[in-house]
Amino acid sequence: MKQSYLTLLLLLCSFFLWGQSEKAIITGIITDAVSDAPIDLALIYIKDTNVSVETAANGRYRIEIPANEEVILMFSRIGYKETSTTLTPMPVRSTRQVDVSLAPIDSDIEVIVRESKIEDAGLIREEVTELKLIPTTTGNLESVLPHIALGTSSGTGGELSSQYNVRGGNYDENLVYVNDFAIYRPQLIRAGQQEGLTFPNIDLIRDLSFSSGGFEAKYGDKLSSVLDVKYKRPDSTRASIGMSFLGGSAHLEGSLNAGKDNYRKIRYLFGARYKTTRYLLGTLDVKGEYTPNFSDLQTYITYDINRNWQLGLIGNINRSEYRFVPSERRTAFGLINFALELFSEFEGKEVDDFTTRMGGLSLTYIPDRQHNPYFLKFLASTFQSDENERIDIIGNYSLRQIESNLGAESFGDVLGELGGGIQHEYVRNFLTYNITNFEHKGGIELQGYHDDTQTTSSHFFQWSVKLQNERVDDWINEWERIDSAGYSLPYDTSAVQLFEVIKRRNNQNSNRYSAFIQDTYTWRRDSRSEFRISAGVRASWWDLNQELLISPRVQLLYKPLTSERDISYRLAGGFYYQPPFYREMRAPDGSINQDLRAQKSFHLVGGLTMDFYMGKRNPKKFRFITEAYYKSLWDLVSYEIENVRIRYSGLNDARGYAMGIDFRVNGEFVPGAESWVNLGFLRTRENLLGVTHLEREKGQTEGTPVKDVPRPTDQLVTLSMFFQDYLPKNENFKMHLNFTVGSGLPFGLRGANQIYRNTYRFSPYHRVDIGFSILLWNRERIGRRPHHLLRFTRNSWLSLEIFNLMQVQNQAGNTWIKTVFQQYYAIPNYLTSRRINLRMKFDF
């Protein structure tokens, strides 16, 4: 009898497992067709069955359907039009993504069902809801990119800077767009503590896309990456207020009916931000009075004139003020048996201000067409930056040897003075530049016809023509005096010499012309595969250096639909040229090279994206992305990095390459809490033309020739992780962990960094920031607590953040001390130490 029961149980299990295996999986996201906001609690069910699921708070769903059968999938939600889609038979255990935009009942918009899985040419797309929770000292969107984007690191600026490096490129090699408008930044910033608020306001952002290389021809002419930000199209009134020890922010969004028709609306976004890093800067080695004040006002308004025309207006005023009166500095460094300390006393102060203004106007035409839809867009924008540096600081320094023997009575005392002197820095720099541009872009989709109902195809042609005028007015007046042991350097018996003097006046007025044309062909057969090939070419010409650039680019994406795994492949290649901007043209002595040619590169990128599920009882979706790349670089303008300032040679004097591989996994490691892990390996090298580079081996006094040397951004390993968790029985209490590790960046001797180039490295950068958030109020509690103090808000959060939890001394650069005997000492400039921040956020 027992054997019979056991046999019956095994048979039942076999039938159950067989039934489970005869399934296919449908995943996707349900959004509002008007506002693009995710819709929660939407019902997805198989018609004429009781199989159904609901969407989560982020609009995502997962449902199992019978394999090898035609299925009608229904989508419904109170207040929205119900819709359905017919799914062709799918293989066993295969996966398909079906995204649906539901239209409100009172609108004339049709429901949009998108079954394509292939995404745009390798761009990583993210919503910003989870990104707002990442603990960051800058409050800028760019500071979170290393946690979500492939091959991205924060460089030498660390937590004080929003600059980022991508796959061996510096910050100037990155494109940034907001609603198709190109974004620029101040040029004279030399240290992370001077940086204010960047343009993208995270409270106004709907979503973002990021490509780490191999991007399409429709994006501009840079060597490394593109960040494409889209602002919201609000349909209802919302607002928020945030405040912390590091500043505050507020925003307002909504829409107004501009006529009797529902489609005629004015949608508006307003954002205001304020930041001060005085609390953070108090942990630096250089003590004194820090007064940094950064503010930003921004708006984006759209007017739907009628069904076909839309007018858009974007505006921004950004002001950064940095005042610093140093008093003294104590920095300890060296080895266990040879400890040194730099002690300095200061006189004077530094006053910097950077003011940028930007305004843009767009006019978009999208006619209501069912067949071969197209769009036309016209953009005009102007950007102005006024930058002033005023520095007059005298430092009396003493370089000392410190007793490092723990058992000695004089432990920590000064054993002797290795050197002393005066370092006097004087700067009066004024830069004004204006950028004005006009652009037309458009696109048309030509839909293919097939007798086979399972096959669809289309061509999407895009084009653009752009004219840009640039005007630069630059006054440079800076010098540095170094006195060592009573002797001015360089030493001269007949006169007192300054160590470095730059006095220049540069004026420049030029025009750039650029255009592109691109075709994206998409083909899909439900029972077979889907692929997309995008091929385009860019052309640009600059009337200053008279250089014509032609850069073809191509991307191929392929996804098999018969595979059990939800996986897609990407291959991209092309030529990427970067015409010089004013910064690249200006040599260290302030002179301008107007014949400077564009820096050039060839990208080859290959990778895959795989979606998979983990967990037995309640499986959660994860995404794995990996890309390998190689970039050949020529006509490079060599440079050195001091803190965050990039000092170019002003010459096309180098060749190089970058190669590596990146990995990323993201998903809900904890149900309901998205997390990311990024790991990258990089090797980027260069050689200066006409220079035989040498490298010293340990124990050798003479160098041996090497083929190439590290570029300033050569960072072998970068690892970043953002992880979220919450209490098992209380999801209102969350933890946000931000972990970053990066191997040391190279540097060389100041003024002697050519033959023995970038032979030293900073210590590895590693940092942990952690935050604890508690949901004080949610409007869903109004029934239980109608008289709560925060009942007038939708959500109210209180967060406690601990920056640099492990109190690691990371390095941002060096202060160079030179003795009369021509000896250099590199004194490390350390970044911030541990700080606790309290943050509150109210959503209305």
Side-chain angles (χ1 to χ4, degrees), residues 534-565:
S534 175
V537 61
R538 288 191 64 84
S540 66
W541 186 75
W542 193 23
D543 64 6
L544 198 63
N545 64 2
Q546 304 288 310
E547 184 179 23
L548 175 65
L549 301 172
I550 305 293
S551 55
R553 305 172 187 176
V554 63
Q555 294 83 27
L556 173 65
L557 292 95
Y558 171 74
K559 175 178 173 58
L561 299 178
T562 57
S563 172
E564 295 181 2
R565 295 182 177 179

Side-chain angles (χ1 to χ4, degrees), residues 28 120 130 220 249 268 300 328 406 478 503 517 530 589 609 625 706 718 723 778 833:
D120 288 342
E130 300 289 343
S249 64
Y268 56 86
Y300 181 61
E328 68 173 35
L406 293 173
E478 61 179 78
K503 290 182 181 290
I517 185 170
E530 178 180 8
D589 64 358
T609 299
I625 303 174
V706 291
T718 55
F723 180 75
N778 184 283
S833 187

Side-chain angles (χ1 to χ4, degrees), residues 653-656 685-691 693 706-709:
D653 59 353
R655 295 182 61 91
R685 292 291 194 269
E686 68 180 359
N687 65 286
L688 301 185
L689 303 181
V691 176
H693 296 294
V706 291
K707 183 179 178 181
D708 49 45
V709 292

Side-chain angles (χ1 to χ4, degrees), residues 579-731:
F581 198 62
Y582 178 71
R583 285 231 301 178
E584 291 99 314
M585 299 169 63
R586 197 178 89 171
D589 64 358
S591 61
I592 299 298
N593 179 11
Q594 295 190 351
D595 295 324
L596 190 69
R597 300 186 305 277
Q599 300 182 84
K600 302 176 179 67
S601 69
F602 173 77
H603 291 197
L604 184 61
V605 182
L608 62 87
T609 299
M610 182 175 66
D611 293 341
F612 61 96
Y613 290 84
M614 290 181 60
K616 296 182 178 179
R617 294 185 178 180
N618 186 20
K620 297 297 180 183
K621 182 178 178 179
F622 289 83
R623 171 163 289 185
F624 171 73
I625 303 174
T626 182
E627 284 187 355
Y629 59 90
Y630 178 82
K631 296 194 292 187
S632 178
L633 309 166
W634 66 98
D635 282 346
L636 292 177
V637 182
S638 64
Y639 61 89
E640 299 178 28
I641 299 179
E642 298 177 0
N643 199 302
V644 299
R645 182 169 64 160
I646 304 171
R647 303 194 64 170
Y648 291 96
S649 66
L651 301 170
N652 297 108
D653 59 353
R655 295 182 61 91
Y657 68 90
M659 59 187 298
I661 186 168
D662 298 315
F663 306 92
R664 172 182 131 155
V665 176
N666 69 286
E668 296 181 0
F669 294 92
V670 176
E674 189 87 1
S675 299
W676 294 268
V677 179
N678 276 284
L679 175 64
F681 298 92
L682 164 71
R683 177 182 174 89
T684 179
R685 292 291 194 269
E686 68 180 359
N687 65 286
L688 301 185
L689 303 181
V691 176
T692 301
H693 296 294
L694 302 179
E695 188 178 79
R696 289 190 182 94
E697 300 289 341
K698 284 187 177 181
Q700 293 183 357
T701 57
E702 295 186 1
T704 56
V706 291
K707 183 179 178 181
D708 49 45
V709 292
R711 301 194 76 199
T713 54
D714 183 49
Q715 196 166 23
L716 177 61
V717 181
T718 55
L719 171 65
S720 61
M721 179 180 69
F722 174 60
F723 180 75
Q724 297 187 87
D725 199 356
Y726 50 80
L727 292 179
K729 296 184 179 180
N730 186 2
E731 295 187 14

Side-chain angles (χ1 to χ4, degrees), residues 49-119:
T49 73
N50 59 356
V51 179
S52 65
V53 295
E54 287 186 341
T55 56
N58 59 4
R60 296 194 177 276
Y61 73 92
R62 178 182 185 271
I63 187 171
E64 293 184 347
I65 65 171
N68 301 314
E69 295 182 20
E70 186 177 90
V71 172
I72 299 177
L73 207 57
M74 308 295 296
F75 305 88
S76 67
R77 176 71 157 86
I78 295 176
Y80 292 88
K81 298 176 183 179
E82 185 177 50
T83 189
S84 64
T85 184
T86 302
L87 302 175
T88 55
M90 295 173 59
V92 176
R93 293 186 297 276
S94 63
T95 303
R96 183 181 300 175
Q97 180 162 327
V98 178
D99 296 335
V100 180
S101 294
L102 294 179
I105 290 177
D106 60 352
S107 72
D108 296 327
I109 300 175
E110 296 297 326
V111 176
I112 301 171
V113 180
R114 299 180 297 273
E115 293 190 30
S116 177
K117 169 63 182 64
I118 291 183
E119 298 182 1

Side-chain angles (χ1 to χ4, degrees), residues 261 264 346 480:
D261 301 320
R264 296 188 64 187
F346 298 99
E480 184 179 8

